[in-house]
Amino acid sequence: MSASEPADNPWLHNQYTGQRAEGHATQILGNVGTVNLSLPGNPAQDCLAALFLTDPLDDRKNLIDKKGSRVSGTCEWIRQNKIYDSWLHSRSQLLWLSGGPGKGKTMLSIFLAEELEPIARQSQDVIFIQYFCDNKDEKRNTAVAILRGLIYQLLKLHPKLIDHILPTFQIQKESLLTDSSFGSLWICFESMVRDASLGVVYCVVDGLDECNAASLEVLLKRLRALFSPDATLSSTCHLSLIAVSRERPDFVLRELSGFPRIRLDPDADSDVNSDIGKFVTAKVGELSRYRNYPPQLRSHVEDVFHRRAEGTFLWVGIVAKELEKYTRDEVEGALNHFPPGLDELYARMLQQISPDRRETAGKILRWVVIAVRPLTLSELSAAIGTTAEASSGLSCEEVTSEQVRNCGHLLTITDTPTGQEVGVVHQSVKDYLLRETRDPIAELEFFRIKKETANLEVALKCFTYLQDGALADGKVDLARDTQRTEAFPLLSYAVLHWPEHARCVSDSESDIFDLSLPFYADWSPVRETWLGTYWAAKEYEDPPSSFSLLHIASYCDIVPLAERLLCRRRWQKYLELDVNKTDNRRRTALYWAARSGNEAVVRMLLETGADPKAKDKHGTTALHWAASWGNEVMVRLLVEKGADPRAKTEDGETALHKAARSGKEAVVRLLLEKGADPEAKDKDGTTVLHSAASSEKEAVVRMLLEEEVDPRAKTEDGETVLHKAARKGKEAVVRLLKKW
């Protein structure tokens, strides 16, 4: 394992399909003369295979299958939009396309992709890449997943760019592709889009607001820096990006508001309404042909659609689908049941669920909305406790399918390679069900989902499921042991995701953290089996032994469990001896908490006597991880509690090296104030300034130069800081060093 970046709960690297990824890698790199792909274990092929998660072109095709093809004439208005035209003919610019739910953002993204692809095909100097986020697909809902998808496409279209990632990949291996190594992966991506051999790189990223909030905020900060006027003037960036999203979360507006923007509402209201008009005509035309509407009825339905859609394609699509089951004699009366606006429509659908089905429907909606990925019908059946109906011959999955359909058009069932998956019809359904304001209507309040309560329900079910026999036969290979996963359909989800739900529970006194449960015993076969199964799927190294409950709480970022362990009086005597207990790699709970970036657990551990100077077998301390994360508060806390800012790993790296490499200006300044050595060298002679020179952060380089470090220092290989910056394509840093 490389200690160059912090690691939280790595997962993405283990999710690609080997054969398909290797096939793509061979296709991509087949024309690179320096790479012999016939050799087993070729590093370039290994890198490409590891990068692959999904093919964005396949994702786009699946979206079209799900949403339907674009209605002729829609979206074409953007060709004449002055802001879009300016972006199209500008060098390296970010354009933000924003709009509320149901405004047709994804269809517009698909249209833009179809517009830009021919431009790229017609010119050797232009390439096009794309990405479609999906908040319910863990392969498509993190900043690292986005970078992996974009890098994968860049290498497919421009294979020689492999030089920007291969050296780092050969050192860090799959750990480079985990969520916690975003900083290292970003450096590779930025080097690629600044490569002088590139012409123009057009890029469309759809649904940024569906990305995990914490990782999205970091990504947007990097994009803002990449496209800032100073950055684009001082160093060539070839990327021209269209970012498509809502204004949510709040930081999206903060980070992107300074860039050119097309707002579908209200700036493009007339264009969007014109498109909705075409969409209404097309949908009512389909209904009219299907149900043989007379002209007067067709005109009436069109008029109602126009008045009640309130500027959203989604309302039209849902109601048109619902009207398919009514004859032409019933349509006019049925229209009265569909109120205007999405929220009102969703409320009406919930109120139409019969009272005897509401309890099951409520449970289904909670699971579908709160689950961190889409559940298959078999998983959902196990989650809600569905039983087969012997009298009718229906299986559990078939019964659950009927129960899902009882929720109206709020949910969808989609065929996938892993089975039929259940999801919400649109992100706005999730937003509606998770609304925080109490509903005055009792029926609707029943369906409103309270996040913490729902997470506790899911966590408890998963936790109980694991203890009630799912792990009785020992460690499970979740990818290959189909016999066990078929016998226990919820096993994979329960193993991998109960910690994520548990960490969303704030009450440390909750039943799930009852320390008398078998899972929390001093020695628990169930816990050991779970840890081995979980670790094999999540990590890239063998599971540690001697992993205590406190290690688990710290590694999995479960604050309430850590609080329960640390604060209960009956544990105090034990913790006097155990708070600094190490696993077989000499890693303490503090190490794992810092590695996970959990400031709250770090604080609790330090207050309970954790040793801030403790090193693992590689010499890595909690401070090294905190510095890599750029967490100024955590760094300050650790140093004030006695962490050594001059401590070195076995490779000779200090926390200052890590902060400088990641371009963490505030942390670099803090470490220098606290006594870090600005002249420190690792075992290869790499100085802190060398590390800073590869980060594109002029401010960090300048800060170190002002500390009178030697800008002519050489590594063991004779590389100067200037060589390093030039090799990495950091033109702004090169100019600064030349002036100094």
Side-chain angles (χ1 to χ4, degrees):
M1 164 184 171
S2 168
S4 64
E5 291 292 333
D8 184 2
N9 292 326
W11 163 240
L12 289 172
H13 68 281
N14 229 3
Q15 296 307 293
Y16 59 87
T17 302
Q19 288 183 338
R20 185 180 184 195
E22 289 176 10
H24 278 278
T26 303
Q27 177 186 1
I28 293 165
L29 293 177
N31 61 342
V32 182
T34 58
V35 179
N36 186 346
L37 290 175
S38 64
L39 294 175
N42 179 277
Q45 186 173 358
D46 290 345
C47 181
L48 265 292
L51 275 168
F52 182 79
L53 285 171
T54 66
D55 187 331
L57 189 58
D58 290 342
D59 297 334
R60 188 175 101 194
K61 291 175 181 176
N62 291 336
L63 279 170
I64 294 173
D65 291 341
K66 180 179 177 181
K67 292 177 175 287
S69 299
R70 177 177 63 91
V71 171
S72 178
T74 59
C75 301
E76 296 176 3
W77 58 268
I78 201 167
R79 292 172 178 157
Q80 283 73 48
N81 184 278
K82 292 181 179 179
I83 299 175
Y84 170 70
D85 185 69
S86 175
W87 171 85
L88 188 62
H89 296 96
S90 297
R91 180 181 68 83
S92 182
Q93 190 174 80
L94 186 152
L95 170 61
W96 182 23
L97 197 158
S98 67
K103 289 293 183 180
K105 297 186 296 299
T106 295
M107 195 56 67
L108 189 55
S109 295
I110 293 171
F111 176 79
L112 288 169
E114 293 169 346
E115 287 283 294
L116 294 168
E117 278 175 332
I119 297 175
R121 283 196 296 266
Q122 293 164 13
S123 173
Q124 292 183 342
D125 296 326
V126 178
I127 62 177
F128 172 71
I129 58 179
Q130 59 198 309
Y131 198 85
F132 295 87
C133 301
D134 184 343
N135 73 331
K136 281 298 184 182
D137 187 343
E138 56 195 357
K139 296 181 183 180
R140 293 163 56 199
N141 65 3
T142 66
V144 164
I146 293 173
L147 286 186
R148 288 175 67 170
L150 297 181
I151 290 173
Y152 174 82
Q153 292 171 87
L154 284 170
L155 294 174
K156 181 176 181 179
L157 296 166
H158 204 82
K160 291 182 180 179
L161 294 175
I162 192 74
D163 292 341
H164 292 287
I165 189 171
L166 191 57
T168 306
F169 177 77
Q170 287 178 303
I171 295 172
Q172 298 189 34
K173 302 300 182 185
E174 284 85 355
S175 66
L176 172 65
L177 309 179
T178 62
D179 286 346
S180 54
S181 290
F182 171 83
S184 290
L185 198 59
W186 173 266
I187 290 171
C188 299
F189 173 73
E190 185 172 346
S191 296
M192 288 183 185
V193 297
R194 292 186 184 279
D195 190 290
S197 67
L198 284 177
V200 176
V201 181
Y202 288 128
C203 177
V204 175
V205 178
D206 177 71
L208 272 173
D209 53 291
E210 296 200 30
C211 184
N212 170 272
S215 66
L216 174 61
E217 186 169 13
V218 177
L219 175 62
L220 292 183
K221 288 181 183 297
R222 295 296 181 103
L223 288 173
R224 188 178 66 178
L226 178 66
F227 289 103
S228 69
D230 291 342
T232 53
L233 287 173
S234 62
S235 182
T236 302
C237 173
H238 301 278
L239 184 66
S240 290
L241 171 67
I242 296 180
V244 185
S245 76
R246 296 182 298 168
E247 291 185 3
R248 300 175 59 180
D250 292 341
F251 60 76
V252 173
L253 180 60
R254 182 185 72 234
E255 299 297 337
L256 297 183
S257 60
F259 295 102
R261 179 183 182 190
I262 299 174
R263 296 187 297 178
L264 297 183
D265 45 352
D267 296 349
D269 270 348
S270 60
D271 296 310
V272 173
N273 286 335
S274 176
D275 279 359
I276 289 175
K278 296 182 179 74
F279 188 62
V280 167
T281 299
K283 285 297 179 182
V284 176
E286 292 172 5
L287 282 169
S288 181
R289 289 188 293 274
Y290 177 57
R291 287 298 187 181
N292 196 24
Y293 292 177
Q296 188 174 357
L297 178 59
R298 174 173 176 165
S299 177
H300 174 66
V301 173
E302 277 197 38
D303 180 61
V304 172
F305 273 36
H306 281 298
R307 286 188 286 107
R308 297 185 189 172
E310 295 188 350
T312 65
F313 292 87
L314 185 59
W315 189 97
V316 176
I318 291 175
V319 175
K321 187 70 176 176
E322 188 70 14
L323 285 181
E324 287 180 2
K325 59 189 180 187
Y326 294 97
T327 67
R328 66 179 185 176
D329 296 328
E330 299 169 328
V331 165
E332 190 166 354
L335 279 172
N336 296 326
H337 298 308
F338 301 110
L342 288 176
D343 283 0
E344 291 78 6
L345 182 62
Y346 298 152
R348 175 66 182 172
M349 288 180 177
L350 291 173
Q351 288 173 314
Q352 287 181 320
I353 298 173
S354 61
D356 60 314
R357 293 173 173 172
R358 284 180 183 171
E359 184 175 347
T360 300
K363 185 178 291 187
I364 288 173
L365 290 169
R366 288 195 297 276
W367 271 86
V368 171
V369 167
I370 291 296
V372 299
R373 64 160 174 80
L375 298 170
T376 64
L377 275 174
S378 59
E379 287 175 325
L380 186 59
S381 297
I384 65 174
T386 302
T387 55
E389 292 184 358
S391 58
S392 60
L394 294 177
S395 66
C396 291
E397 290 81 2
E398 289 169 329
V399 172
T400 302
S401 179
E402 288 300 313
Q403 292 169 332
V404 168
R405 291 186 175 89
N406 289 335
C407 296
H409 290 295
L410 296 172
L411 302 179
T412 61
I413 299 175
T414 306
D415 290 327
T416 73
T418 58
Q420 290 186 299
E421 290 182 349
V422 184
V424 293
V425 69
H426 191 265
Q427 175 67 22
S428 57
V429 173
K430 182 176 179 179
D431 295 338
Y432 173 74
L433 291 170
L434 288 171
R435 65 197 184 282
E436 295 184 0
T437 305
R438 184 178 179 83
D439 203 301
I441 301 175
E443 297 164 307
L444 299 178
E445 178 61 18
F446 170 79
F447 287 109
R448 187 171 68 88
I449 298 171
K450 294 80 173 176
K451 283 185 180 180
E452 181 162 348
T453 303
N455 273 295
L456 177 59
E457 176 185 341
V458 174
L460 273 171
K461 175 65 179 182
C462 292
F463 197 66
T464 304
Y465 194 81
L466 296 177
Q467 295 185 97
D468 285 354
L471 294 176
D473 294 330
K475 180 181 171 182
V476 184
D477 184 334
L478 296 176
R480 295 179 176 86
D481 193 346
T482 54
Q483 185 175 356
R484 189 95 67 93
T485 53
E486 287 175 1
F488 296 94
L490 196 60
L491 175 60
S492 180
Y493 189 90
V495 164
L496 297 176
H497 300 299
W498 80 261
E500 294 176 64
H501 293 290
R503 74 172 65 120
C504 296
V505 179
S506 62
D507 183 9
S508 64
E509 297 299 315
S510 170
D511 290 345
I512 196 172
F513 305 123
D514 181 355
L515 299 179
S516 66
L517 292 171
F519 188 90
Y520 298 120
D522 288 344
W523 185 79
S524 168
V526 172
R527 186 172 75 241
E528 292 300 312
T529 300
W530 164 77
L531 183 61
T533 304
Y534 178 88
W535 203 276
K538 289 277 192 178
E539 285 283 1
Y540 50 89
E541 54 183 1
D542 293 332
S545 57
S546 306
F547 215 59
S548 70
L549 278 173
L550 199 54
H551 281 100
I552 289 174
S554 301
Y555 166 70
C556 291
D557 195 12
I558 308 177
V559 177
L561 178 57
E563 183 180 5
R564 184 78 169 252
L565 291 168
L566 291 169
C567 296
R568 288 295 294 266
R569 179 171 298 180
R570 64 192 179 93
W571 286 81
Q572 285 183 355
K573 182 177 180 180
Y574 171 74
L575 286 172
E576 286 175 6
L577 301 173
D578 202 62
V579 70
N580 288 310
K581 180 181 179 180
T582 61
D583 59 26
N584 63 316
R585 296 183 180 92
R586 299 206 303 272
R587 295 168 179 173
T588 64
L590 183 64
Y591 169 99
W592 288 110
R595 185 177 185 252
S596 298
N598 192 305
E599 182 185 322
V601 177
V602 166
R603 186 179 299 277
M604 283 192 287
L605 288 166
L606 289 170
E607 290 173 352
T608 320
D611 180 8
K613 295 181 180 180
K615 292 185 175 184
D616 75 350
K617 69 175 186 178
H618 300 296
T620 308
T621 67
L623 185 61
H624 283 99
W625 292 110
S628 295
W629 277 113
N631 189 320
E632 184 180 1
V633 174
M634 192 188 295
V635 168
R636 185 181 300 278
L637 183 63
L638 285 163
V639 173
E640 289 177 350
K641 290 290 185 178
D644 182 5
R646 292 179 174 243
K648 292 188 174 184
T649 66
E650 65 179 6
D651 293 330
E653 280 206 323
T654 65
L656 192 57
H657 276 96
K658 295 182 179 296
R661 182 183 298 109
S662 300
K664 309 300 185 183
E665 183 179 349
V667 174
V668 168
R669 182 181 295 108
L670 174 61
L671 287 169
L672 289 171
E673 291 173 356
K674 298 297 183 180
D677 181 9
E679 298 276 8
K681 294 183 178 182
D682 69 10
K683 69 176 184 180
D684 295 322
T686 301
T687 66
V688 176
L689 190 58
H690 278 95
S691 297
S694 65
S695 75
E696 190 62 41
K697 289 289 186 178
E698 294 175 66
V700 174
V701 174
R702 188 182 301 277
M703 190 187 309
L704 291 166
L705 289 170
E706 289 172 351
E707 291 288 322
E708 299 184 355
V709 300
D710 183 5
R712 290 173 292 279
K714 294 181 179 180
T715 65
E716 294 294 324
D717 294 333
E719 185 176 53
T720 66
V721 178
L722 188 59
H723 287 138
K724 181 88 165 182
R727 182 167 59 83
K728 290 287 188 177
K730 310 302 181 183
E731 297 176 19
V733 174
V734 168
R735 279 193 287 270
L736 175 61
L737 289 166
K738 284 182 175 180
K739 291 178 182 177
W740 204 263

